[in-house]
Amino acid sequence: METVISTEETILEAARKVFMQKGFAASRMCDIAKTARINQALLHYYFRTKDKLFAMIFDQESQKFQSNIISILTSDLPFFEKLRRMVEAEIKKMRSAPYLPMFILNEMHSNPERQCAGPSESHARVYRVFRDLVEKEQAAGNILTVCPRQLFLSIMGLTMFPFLAQPMYQAALEAEHESFEQLIDDRVAHVSNMIIRSLEV
C-alpha cells in the first residue's frame, strides 16, 4: 500500500511541475513520465488520460485558494478581525505560490466548460459563507450597506493582483525584489484598513 501511495504522489508532483511550466495543451504524458522517472505504461496504469490527471492537479491547486477561509469566517472573531485574517490568509497563499493565480486563470479561460466545475463550486461555497456574514452584519447595523459580491471581489482583487502583475509593478514602481517583498509585507495592513474604513458606520 505504501508503494502505491508513493508512486501516485511521485506522478502527481511530476505532473504538477509539467502542467505549471507548460499548461494543459502543451503538456504530454511522456513529459510527465520522464519527470517522474517512470515508464509511460506505469503512468497510464495509475492515470489513464492526461485529462484525468490534469483535473486532479487543477482541483488540488484551486483548493489552495479556499484553505482556512471558511474557518476564519465561521470563527467567533469580530467581523473586522475576520476581514483582516481573510486578507492576510489570501496574501500568504499568493506569496507561497505566486504561480497559482496566473495558472488557474489561464486554464479556466482556456477550457472553462471542462475545468471550472470543482473549483467554481468551492469558490461559491466560500462566497456563500462570506455573503451570509456580511448580510448579518448589515442587518445588525454594524457596517454600512454594501454589495457582498462587490466586497468579495474587492478583497480578491486587492490581494491577488499584485502577484499577477509583479513584473509590471517592479518596473513601474522601480521596485527590486526586496522592495516588492516589503510592499507585500505592508499590503496586509493597507488593504485591511482600506476595506474596514469603507465599512465603518
Side-chain angles (χ1 to χ4, degrees):
M1 188 66 175
E2 291 182 359
T3 302
V4 172
I5 294 174
S6 176
T7 302
E8 287 185 350
E9 288 178 348
T10 298
I11 293 172
L12 287 171
E13 184 56 34
R16 183 174 288 105
K17 290 178 181 178
V18 173
F19 287 136
M20 293 299 167
Q21 291 172 357
K22 300 184 176 184
F24 175 80
S27 297
R28 299 180 299 170
M29 291 293 268
C30 62
D31 297 327
I32 296 170
K34 183 177 180 180
T35 302
R37 297 183 179 181
I38 61 173
N39 61 59
Q40 202 163 335
L42 185 60
L43 173 60
H44 282 284
Y45 172 78
Y46 284 99
F47 300 95
R48 291 189 175 184
T49 66
K50 185 175 76 168
D51 287 72
K52 182 178 179 181
L53 184 53
F54 181 84
M56 184 176 292
I57 295 297
F58 187 78
D59 186 61
Q60 288 178 354
E61 295 301 310
S62 297
Q63 290 297 328
K64 292 179 181 178
F65 282 94
Q66 287 80 47
S67 63
N68 299 326
I69 298 300
I70 288 182
S71 62
I72 291 170
L73 295 177
T74 57
S75 70
D76 294 327
L77 292 168
F79 177 69
F80 287 152
E81 183 59 26
K82 290 179 181 180
L83 292 185
R84 289 186 190 279
R85 298 284 183 91
M86 183 178 177
V87 168
E88 183 178 22
E90 288 300 308
I91 289 179
K92 183 178 180 180
K93 282 184 292 184
M94 296 300 102
R95 200 170 200 169
S96 65
Y99 58 83
L100 268 181
M102 188 61 71
F103 169 71
I104 290 178
L105 289 175
N106 282 342
E107 296 302 336
M108 289 178 77
H109 280 293
S110 298
N111 296 284
E113 72 290 340
R114 181 183 64 194
Q115 295 156 9
C116 289
S120 290
E121 174 53 34
S122 185
H123 278 86
R125 188 164 56 250
V126 172
Y127 171 70
R128 286 193 293 268
V129 174
F130 179 84
R131 177 201 62 202
D132 293 346
L133 177 62
V134 171
E135 290 178 347
K136 179 181 177 181
E137 292 294 317
Q138 287 181 160
N142 296 329
I143 62 174
L144 294 176
T145 300
V146 63
C147 172
R149 288 192 185 93
Q150 293 292 351
L151 182 59
F152 189 78
L153 287 174
S154 293
I155 293 173
M156 294 299 104
L158 289 167
T159 54
M160 187 184 301
F161 187 74
F163 296 94
L164 288 170
Q166 182 175 349
M168 181 188 72
Y169 269 155
Q170 288 179 303
L173 303 180
E174 299 178 346
E176 299 299 331
H177 178 71
E178 292 77 14
S179 299
F180 183 79
E181 289 299 311
Q182 184 60 54
L183 185 72
I184 297 304
D185 284 339
D186 298 338
R187 191 148 184 82
V188 173
H190 177 78
V191 171
S192 299
N193 291 338
M194 183 168 59
I195 291 172
I196 288 170
R197 283 197 296 268
S198 73
L199 296 171
E200 288 177 326
V201 176

